[in-house]
Amino acid sequence: MTNLNNKSILEVANAAITKGDYEGFLSFCTEDTTWTFVGEQTLQGKEAVRKYMAATYQEPPKFIVENLIAEGDFVTALGQITLKDVNGNRTDYSYCDVWEFREGKMAALKAFVIEG
């Protein structure tokens, strides 16, 4: 992974998620990764993220990334995501994810997600 820049790492990691390869995605995260869903919840550590993915991703999410903006240790992703719930209903969201990288891995996420 060291030969990839942060933006490329996020692109490869997100490609793993869309294929349902959640462990592949998690391999790009630090053990102590922190995910903050603003106004909702904060996940501490890779195991908490693993449990979140198992509960939330009934099937791999569908992403439309509109913009990826990289600056130093941060990559911001703007776009749309569609998730399917346990009843088979699909919900569309707009999102802005701000990822912080540490030594080539995703160490923190601050996610702003709005339904619609």
Side-chain angles (χ1 to χ4, degrees), residues 62-75:
K62 309 284 187 241
F63 285 98
I64 299 173
V65 178
E66 297 165 354
N67 290 293
L68 278 179
I69 305 157
E71 179 69 31
D73 291 332
F74 294 88
V75 177

Side-chain angles (χ1 to χ4, degrees):
M1 285 182 281
T2 56
N3 60 344
L4 297 176
N5 64 36
N6 293 339
K7 186 175 173 182
S8 296
I9 291 167
L10 182 58
E11 290 172 325
V12 172
N14 278 344
I17 277 192
T18 61
K19 294 175 188 166
D21 182 6
Y22 306 136
E23 288 303 315
F25 174 88
L26 289 169
S27 73
F28 292 95
C29 295
T30 61
E31 288 298 321
D32 64 344
T33 192
T34 300
W35 287 20
T36 302
F37 296 92
V38 174
E40 189 178 325
Q41 65 178 322
T42 298
L43 307 174
Q44 298 285 342
K46 196 182 278 190
E47 187 57 32
V49 172
R50 182 177 285 113
K51 288 177 183 175
Y52 169 83
M53 289 176 151
T56 305
Y57 299 159
Q58 299 303 309
E59 67 178 38
K62 309 284 187 241
F63 285 98
I64 299 173
V65 178
E66 297 165 354
N67 290 293
L68 278 179
I69 305 157
E71 179 69 31
D73 291 332
F74 294 88
V75 177
T76 300
L78 299 166
Q80 307 292 318
I81 186 171
T82 302
L83 297 174
K84 189 177 193 181
D85 68 17
V86 293
N87 298 318
N89 300 314
R90 296 183 189 280
T91 305
D92 297 322
Y93 300 90
S94 295
Y95 74 90
C96 176
D97 287 349
V98 181
W99 290 95
E100 183 177 1
F101 285 76
R102 185 174 67 236
E103 298 175 4
K105 291 200 172 202
M106 296 179 291
L109 165 65
K110 184 174 271 190
F112 301 85
V113 183
I114 301 169
E115 188 176 335

